[in-house]
Amino acid sequence: MIDLNTAAEQIWLETQADCPNISIEVLPETDSTNTQLLARGRAGDTAPMLLAAHRQTAGRGRHGRHWVAQAGDSLTFSLGLALDLDLVPGGGSALSLAVGLAIAEALDDGLAGLQGPTPAPTITLKWPNDLWWQQRKLGGILIEATPAPGVLPGQRWVVIGVGINLRPQGDQATGLAHACLQDLSATPLTAGQVWAWTAPKLLRAVHRFALAGFAPLQAAYARRDALAGQDVALWQGAGGQGNALLRGAPTDTGRADGVDQQGALLVHTGTGLQRWTTGDVSVRLAASSAPSPTLPPA
């Protein structure tokens, strides 16, 4: 708790110029930081806020997955603010890519600062909402939106949840310290440290995205795109059925060809170039048939 509270003070000082009315809170334990902020927005508490939890007991991810975030094993936090995503090309689908890019850049910058002249290994992005290192899951993003009293016409209360492994989680997921730091004994990595790296950059990135959309970020995303040029399997309509559908045969297969200016995934299939948005499909590398370990963010 001391670690996260210290980080909260640092984040507050760094974000005042961009968002002077932001509130920052740390909870010793909660079910889900996303759930907490969604409830606050529905109750009319819609000033921008950051919420982190020392321990999270019912984190949520895509397809209704759940997990427990043990203290010290991961960083879990959420950002809530009012946005009019209908005015932004790509809307919420593209926002998840912009968030992933901001978090990846912040982590690389933070790790490079710890490692001195040796650059940190580049963290990649698996469309639409996973952070990867060497094709292993490092973190995840969950974006949810709800109507809320007190927001401007057209706006919704948007909650952006982020989960980052500090230690490995299962056979196919990695941890930030173990994967990316060369000398763990010399540089212990804490949740507060990583929160201080990522939260200010995330807030600035969301504000820029609301003004300019995803198009200015397309080239930077392409440099971290873990799927581009890879053979992939696609499951259409997986949202409500979760892993039950993903254990079956894929709806389609093809070769990923990056993302467009609205953040949609482009895949060359047997029937031509297909365009997918986050609500339409789940995607995996074709060589990996087993469900990936879950790291719901919030």
Side-chain angles (χ1 to χ4, degrees):
M1 285 291 293
I2 295 175
D3 171 55
L4 286 171
N5 285 328
T6 300
E9 295 178 9
Q10 181 179 341
I11 294 165
W12 188 85
L13 290 172
E14 192 171 341
T15 56
Q16 285 306 290
D18 302 302
C19 193
N21 62 334
I22 193 169
S23 62
I24 303 174
E25 186 177 342
V26 177
L27 298 176
E29 181 174 300
T30 189
D31 51 355
S32 158
T33 54
N34 261 36
T35 298
Q36 291 295 320
L37 288 192
L38 285 169
R40 294 185 189 190
R42 293 182 183 119
D45 188 1
T46 55
M49 60 185 75
L50 278 161
L51 179 65
H54 187 60
R55 183 175 185 270
Q56 185 170 255
T57 60
R60 293 182 290 108
R62 294 184 78 207
H63 315 309
R65 296 164 179 153
H66 295 270
W67 73 223
V68 174
Q70 299 292 352
D73 287 347
S74 60
L75 165 67
T76 56
F77 74 95
S78 298
L79 168 66
L81 70 173
L83 294 172
D84 190 345
L85 293 177
D86 292 337
L87 294 180
V88 183
S93 295
L95 177 58
S96 68
L97 277 63
V99 169
L101 179 61
I103 297 296
E105 290 175 345
L107 292 176
D108 271 348
D109 289 346
L111 291 168
L114 292 181
Q115 291 177 312
T118 303
T122 299
I123 294 166
T124 59
L125 299 165
K126 175 188 172 290
W127 186 94
N129 63 344
D130 285 348
L131 301 157
W132 272 15
W133 188 77
Q134 294 187 347
Q135 296 191 351
R136 299 181 71 195
K137 188 167 181 176
L138 184 65
I141 296 154
L142 177 65
I143 297 176
E144 300 177 283
T146 184
V151 301
L152 296 176
Q155 289 186 335
R156 287 176 292 167
W157 177 245
V158 177
V159 177
I160 301 165
V162 178
I164 301 168
N165 282 336
L166 302 182
R167 297 184 176 86
Q169 307 287 320
D171 293 337
Q172 297 180 56
T174 190
L176 188 65
H178 290 70
C180 302
L181 290 180
Q182 296 177 346
D183 187 354
L184 296 178
S185 62
T187 315
L189 195 61
T190 68
Q193 189 173 18
V194 177
W195 195 29
W197 291 347
T198 53
K201 191 172 184 69
L202 170 61
L203 185 63
R204 290 191 289 268
V206 172
H207 285 162
R208 288 195 301 267
F209 175 85
L211 294 174
F214 180 73
L217 306 173
Q218 186 180 15
Y221 185 92
R223 290 191 289 271
R224 294 179 182 268
D225 190 344
L227 297 182
Q230 301 293 317
D231 292 330
V232 297
L234 304 154
W235 284 263
Q236 189 174 7
Q241 300 182 54
N243 283 340
L245 179 62
L246 299 180
R247 284 192 289 269
T251 306
D252 212 339
T253 58
R255 177 155 295 186
D257 191 26
V259 300
D260 67 14
Q261 291 191 346
Q262 295 189 12
L265 177 68
L266 304 175
V267 181
H268 289 280
T269 71
T271 57
L273 183 65
Q274 303 290 324
R275 179 182 184 274
W276 301 95
T277 60
T278 57
D280 296 332
V281 68
S282 288
V283 58
R284 291 192 185 137
L285 292 175
S288 176
S289 59
S292 61
T294 303
L295 181 62

